[in-house]
């Protein structure tokens, strides 16, 4: 097993105007109404300092029987909040899945990242700097510190 690199928390790929003003609001609007695009959900996580609910569209990944949240844009606000609060909610229409989350170590990420890129490369591949589902394990391991991954355990499901 390779030596664990210190976590990098400076890697962030900020979304552009079109993503911020059109695509993310559209995805969130559809998901709030119960329309999932390829498995999308709205992630709700409490702010680490404000305690206010923060929401963002996400693409959860089910891999090898486990549910994961991957941050293709890097160490963004929801990942920083998740580290502090340790969980949140995944929403689709009126269905709310309450969950706890555990961050995955960099050395354990390559196969999760590979599966995520196989599923979501068309939407998120540009954020991985040339690393894709066919990259070597070592290439995925080098990319791992830039992309937080959380294992999600659903603890409650609410509807209506």
């Amino acid at each position: 097993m390779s030596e664990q690199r210190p976590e990098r928390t400076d890697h962030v790929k900020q979304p552009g105007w079109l993503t911020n003003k059109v695509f993310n609001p559209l995805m969130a609007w559809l998901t709030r109404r119960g329309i999932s695009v390829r498995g999308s959900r709205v992630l709700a996580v409490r702010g680490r300092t404000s305690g206010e609910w923060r929401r963002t569209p996400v693409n959860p990944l089910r891999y090898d029987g486990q549910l994961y949240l991957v941050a293709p844009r890097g160490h963004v606000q929801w990942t920083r909040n998740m580290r502090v609060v340790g969980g949140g909610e995944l929403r689709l229409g009126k269905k709310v899945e309450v969950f706890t989350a555990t961050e995955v170590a960099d050395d354990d990420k390559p196969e999760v990242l590979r599966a995520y890129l196989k599923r979501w490369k068309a939407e998120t591949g540009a954020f991985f700097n040339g690393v894709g589902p066919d990259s070597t394990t070592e290439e995925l391991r080098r990319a791992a510190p830039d992309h937080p991954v959380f294992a999600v355990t659903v603890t409650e499901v609410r509807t209506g």
Side-chain angles (χ1 to χ4, degrees):
M1 184 173 249
S2 67
E3 183 177 315
Q4 182 75 24
R5 290 172 33 183
E7 175 191 350
R8 280 190 51 202
T9 58
D10 60 337
H11 176 81
V12 175
K13 295 259 185 165
Q14 294 294 337
W17 183 90
L18 196 60
T19 298
N20 262 344
K21 302 297 182 187
V22 178
F23 293 124
N24 279 353
L26 176 62
M27 293 304 295
W29 185 85
L30 289 169
T31 304
R32 280 193 308 270
R33 279 145 186 83
I35 302 167
S36 175
V37 178
R38 297 188 70 212
S40 64
R41 299 286 186 272
V42 170
L43 168 66
V45 62
R46 291 204 181 265
R48 61 192 177 280
T49 55
S50 70
E52 304 268 335
W53 283 104
R54 306 293 182 195
R55 292 171 186 81
T56 190
V58 293
N59 299 321
L61 171 72
R62 181 148 313 268
Y63 172 71
D64 203 21
Q66 174 66 56
L67 188 61
Y68 293 96
L69 290 175
V70 176
R73 290 182 177 274
H75 299 270
V76 294
Q77 294 302 319
W78 75 258
T79 64
R80 294 171 187 193
N81 291 336
M82 188 74 67
R83 286 184 186 113
V84 173
V85 301
E89 299 175 348
L90 290 172
R91 299 175 178 187
L92 177 61
K94 294 181 180 183
K95 180 180 179 182
V96 176
E97 296 172 302
V98 180
F99 68 88
T100 59
T102 305
E103 191 159 6
V104 175
D106 290 344
D107 283 341
D108 297 330
K109 291 179 189 176
E111 293 311 311
V112 175
L113 293 176
R114 185 183 316 283
Y116 184 84
L117 286 163
K118 279 182 184 174
R119 173 89 173 135
W120 299 105
K121 184 178 180 188
E123 292 87 349
T124 66
F127 310 125
F128 285 84
N129 296 325
V131 174
D134 298 324
S135 294
T136 67
T137 299
E138 194 51 44
E139 290 169 325
L140 289 162
R141 188 170 282 118
R142 280 194 298 274
D146 290 339
H147 304 284
V149 174
F150 294 87
V152 169
T153 302
V154 174
T155 59
E156 178 186 353
V157 177
R158 298 189 306 250
T159 56

